[in-house]
């Protein structure tokens, strides 16, 4: 008998000026209570952390694509690359997969049974779980980057184009984790 899995996938970090795009893929467990949480953007950082600790036991994979690759191949291709990396990390070959993706995400074309759902992180709890995992992991990465590049304030804005971040770029130039293709007007 061929095993069947449902996988929920979401990304975070499509719009920032710095840092990677991060994707999480979550395998739907047989027994899990799917309530009392929302997509990561609607939760406080504390609530995301609380849920993240709860979800760590669920089979999942996380993959990021660097700013250099984003600059080279573009955001859509980078997101698809990260989705493919996540699916490979899950090691669920030789089985029947149903892949549920949020928004404008797509898995590589080799994965046949995939469905992209607009606002999937609000409609499908499995995608919301992926959203939370991706957000917590990327935010933690950007907090670590703040220690290397404190002049930019990554711990506060996580690389998004806030006024403070834009001013820091004007003063200090770009770091190695900035997306040059996103920062053209600052350099």
């Amino acid at each position: 008998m061929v095993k069947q899995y449902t996988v929920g996938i979401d990304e975070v970090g499509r719009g920032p000026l710095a840092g990677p795009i991060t994707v999480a893929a979550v395998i739907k467990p047989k027994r899990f209570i799917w309530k009392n949480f929302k997509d990561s953007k609607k939760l406080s950082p504390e609530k995301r952390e609380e849920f993240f600790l709860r979800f760590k036991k669920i089979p999942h994979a996380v993959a990021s694509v660097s700013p250099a690759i984003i600059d080279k191949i573009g955001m859509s291709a980078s997101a698809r690359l990260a989705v493919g990396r996540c699916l490979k990390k899950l090691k669920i070959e030789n089985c029947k997969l149903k892949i549920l993706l949020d928004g404008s995400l797509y898995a590589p074309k080799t994965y046949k049974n995939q469905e992209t759902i607009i606002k999937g992180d609000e409609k499908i709890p499995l995608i919301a779980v992926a959203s939370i995992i991706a957000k917590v992991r990327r935010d933690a990465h950007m907090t670590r980057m703040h220690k290397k590049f404190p002049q930019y304030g990554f711990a506060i804005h996580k690389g998004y184009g806030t006024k403070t971040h834009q001013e820091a770029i004007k003063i200090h130039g770009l770091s190695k984790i900035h997306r040059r293709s996103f920062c053209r007007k600052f350099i």
Side-chain angles (χ1 to χ4, degrees):
M1 183 173 177
V2 175
K3 287 190 175 186
Q4 296 183 29
Y5 294 100
T6 300
V7 178
I9 300 177
D10 199 5
E11 56 76 24
V12 66
R14 192 176 280 271
L17 303 177
I21 182 170
T22 301
V23 172
V26 179
I27 296 174
K28 184 177 182 181
K30 291 185 182 196
R31 292 180 188 90
F32 194 79
I33 298 171
W34 299 101
K35 61 181 182 177
N36 298 328
F37 62 92
K38 304 170 185 170
D39 106 78
S40 66
K41 295 178 288 297
K42 296 183 178 179
L43 297 171
S44 69
E46 296 78 21
K47 201 67 168 164
R48 280 194 298 268
E49 284 287 338
E50 178 186 318
F51 283 125
F52 177 76
L53 292 174
R54 183 175 158 199
F55 300 150
K56 277 177 46 172
K57 297 174 185 165
I58 297 173
H60 69 277
V62 178
S64 294
V65 172
S66 72
I69 299 295
I70 292 168
D71 286 339
K72 186 175 181 179
I73 66 174
M75 184 53 70
S76 293
S78 295
R80 187 176 295 218
L81 176 62
V83 168
R85 288 176 178 173
C86 277
L87 290 167
K88 283 183 182 177
K89 283 182 178 182
L90 289 175
K91 297 181 181 175
I92 46 178
E93 295 91 17
N94 302 321
C95 63
K96 188 174 179 183
L97 274 182
K98 180 177 183 180
I99 302 170
L100 305 174
L101 301 112
D102 182 54
S104 59
L105 284 175
Y106 296 92
K109 292 177 183 174
T110 54
Y111 296 94
K112 302 298 179 201
N113 192 11
Q114 59 178 289
E115 181 182 358
T116 297
I117 302 161
I118 302 300
K119 297 188 186 236
D121 53 2
E122 294 177 16
K123 298 174 184 174
I124 310 292
L126 189 61
I127 296 174
V129 170
S131 169
I132 291 166
I133 291 171
K135 178 76 172 140
V136 170
R137 291 286 296 273
R138 185 181 187 282
D139 284 0
H141 172 76
M142 293 308 292
T143 299
R144 287 190 303 276
M145 291 298 98
H146 177 78
K147 292 174 184 171
K148 284 186 166 184
F149 308 103
Q151 67 272 31
Y152 297 101
F154 293 137
I156 299 164
H157 53 68
K158 309 301 188 259
Y160 286 87
T162 64
K163 185 176 181 180
T164 303
H165 187 190
Q166 292 176 30
E167 289 300 318
I169 292 170
K170 289 175 186 173
I171 294 167
H172 303 289
L174 299 178
S175 72
K176 70 176 186 175
I177 68 162
H178 278 94
R179 301 171 183 177
R180 275 136 178 79
S181 59
F182 283 48
C183 298
R184 288 192 177 116
K185 68 180 181 179
F186 303 111
I187 52 175

